[in-house]
Amino acid sequence: MRHDSRLSRMLHVLIHMDRHDGSITSDNIAKMLNTNPVVVRRTMAGLRNTGYVRSDKGHGGGWILARPLEEISLLDVHQALGRPEMFAIGIAIDHPDCLVEQSVNAALTDAFDAAEQMLLSRFAEVKLSDIARDFDLRFRNLNEEPARVI
């Protein structure tokens, strides 16, 4: 099963948008993500509809952040993307009348629900500005390290 990387990819885009002077076109974002501009526009629409980005049309237009990173959490972006599935694993429904399968599914569902609630709570705590600060620190440390001889 393929995992859904939209959250990670859009967080990446939003941090780049914060560091970019002016708007960024769907074409440029698509190149960054190795995807199609139509996919970018469709995905960014959810972020626009929730007020995190805005789009300018016409020559020189593109996408721009509508709110500072301090006001956007991982949970905000997750919700704007339509609340993608959190886990790639799930329950089996091969034999719905089987009492063993029902018991297994009940236990797994409870565990998945608890894990999802914990993850969503953590998502609410992390702001995009936290990620941007981590990037800044990594960038600064990378540039301060002496060159390695291999």
Side-chain angles (χ1 to χ4, degrees), residues 18-47:
D18 181 65
R19 297 302 196 252
H20 185 76
D21 189 27
S23 62
I24 303 176
T25 66
S26 297
D27 287 340
N28 287 341
I29 294 171
K31 288 175 188 167
M32 182 188 343
L33 300 177
N34 195 29
T35 192
N36 188 297
V38 173
V39 172
V40 170
R41 285 189 285 277
R42 190 178 317 126
T43 305
M44 296 294 281
L47 294 167

Side-chain angles (χ1 to χ4, degrees), residues 81-100:
L81 295 174
R83 301 174 184 242
E85 287 293 323
M86 294 293 227
F87 306 110
I89 56 176
I91 61 171
I93 51 172
D94 302 323
H95 306 284
D97 294 332
C98 176
L99 298 178
V100 172

Side-chain angles (χ1 to χ4, degrees), residues 16 20 31 53 79 81 87 91 94 106-107 118 124 128 142 148:
H16 273 289
H20 185 76
K31 288 175 188 167
V53 299
Q79 291 173 332
L81 295 174
F87 306 110
I91 61 171
D94 302 323
M118 196 172 0
L128 271 63
L142 178 69
R148 290 191 235 175

